[in-house]
Structures are given as C-alpha cells and as structure tokens.
Amino acid sequence: MRRILIVLLTCLGLAAPVTLTAAGTASAASGSAQTTACNAGYVCIYEGDIWDGSSNHPKVYNLYYYGTYNVQNLIGDYTVVNCQTGGARVQGWTGYNATGSVAWDIGNNCSSGLWTDLTPTNSVRLYA
C-alpha cells in the first residue's frame, strides 16, 4: 500500500521544474535530501532506490523537453522515472551528446522507475 501511495505522489507531485537546454549540459535540480515527486511530462533522476522506504533521495535531474542532455557525476545506483506522456521514451548513452552506445532505453515507467547503476551514462536523450 505504501508503494502505491509513493507512486501516486511521484506521478502527481508539485516539484519545481529546472530549465534545461536541449543538446547542452543538463542542470542538476536544486533540492534537499527529501524525495520530491516527478511531475507528469518529466523525466526525473534520483539518487538511490526511491522505492526502498526511505524519503531521502534527492532529485538530481528534472528533464522536460525532447532532446539530448549531457549529465555529470552519476556514479552508482540511481532511479530514472519517465513520466512523459504520449509514448515518449528516454535513453541513457555512454558518450556525450548521445554518442557511444545505448546503456538503457525505457518507456513510460512513472509507476515503477528504473533502478540501475548509471556510472556509464554520460548523456540522456528524451524522444518520441
């Protein structure tokens, strides 16, 4: 029951967006250690496993527009939540500017998230 509540809050939350420019370097979301929800239409990246029962997983990236974003310092385990709508997907690439190889590729997973080691991820691509 608690997981369902967390999922609902994640999908319907009121987290503040971060301004990002496609094909540029993504700005890290400024946030506290408290886990904040991922709004509909966004892709959010959190430190650690947001489903582990702890409420202390800061959101480190909050992406909205289609495009490629270079990311930094994603060493270790993170949760990627894709709350985009209309069948939009998100990929993690091993190189900057969506070069190298695809490390992961997910569709909408707002209710579950992808918990994985993002160490090899250097860019993230949002696409339809």
Side-chain angles (χ1 to χ4, degrees):
M1 184 68 167
R2 180 179 173 141
R3 183 175 172 121
I4 292 170
L5 178 59
I6 292 170
V7 169
L8 180 61
L9 292 174
T10 299
C11 292
L12 299 176
L14 300 173
V18 173
T19 303
L20 302 172
T21 304
T25 300
S27 300
S30 62
S32 65
Q34 188 70 26
T35 304
T36 57
C38 189
N39 288 334
Y42 284 81
V43 171
C44 303
I45 300 175
Y46 297 88
E47 283 185 23
D49 176 9
I50 64 172
W51 311 117
D52 69 0
S54 169
S55 62
N56 297 317
H57 296 287
K59 187 185 308 178
V60 295
Y61 287 101
N62 197 33
L63 311 171
Y64 184 77
Y65 297 102
Y66 289 153
T68 301
Y69 302 90
N70 292 325
V71 294
Q72 301 174 43
N73 301 321
L74 296 178
I75 299 169
D77 292 338
Y78 288 80
T79 302
V80 180
V81 178
N82 181 6
C83 291
Q84 296 179 96
T85 58
R89 299 186 64 85
V90 60
Q91 294 175 322
W93 287 79
T94 59
Y96 291 105
N97 300 316
T99 60
S101 60
V102 175
W104 46 270
D105 186 351
I106 55 176
N108 183 291
N109 70 350
C110 196
S111 63
S112 60
L114 169 68
W115 178 46
T116 189
D117 180 4
L118 293 186
T119 303
T121 303
N122 286 300
S123 61
V124 174
R125 178 177 167 244
L126 282 59
Y127 69 101

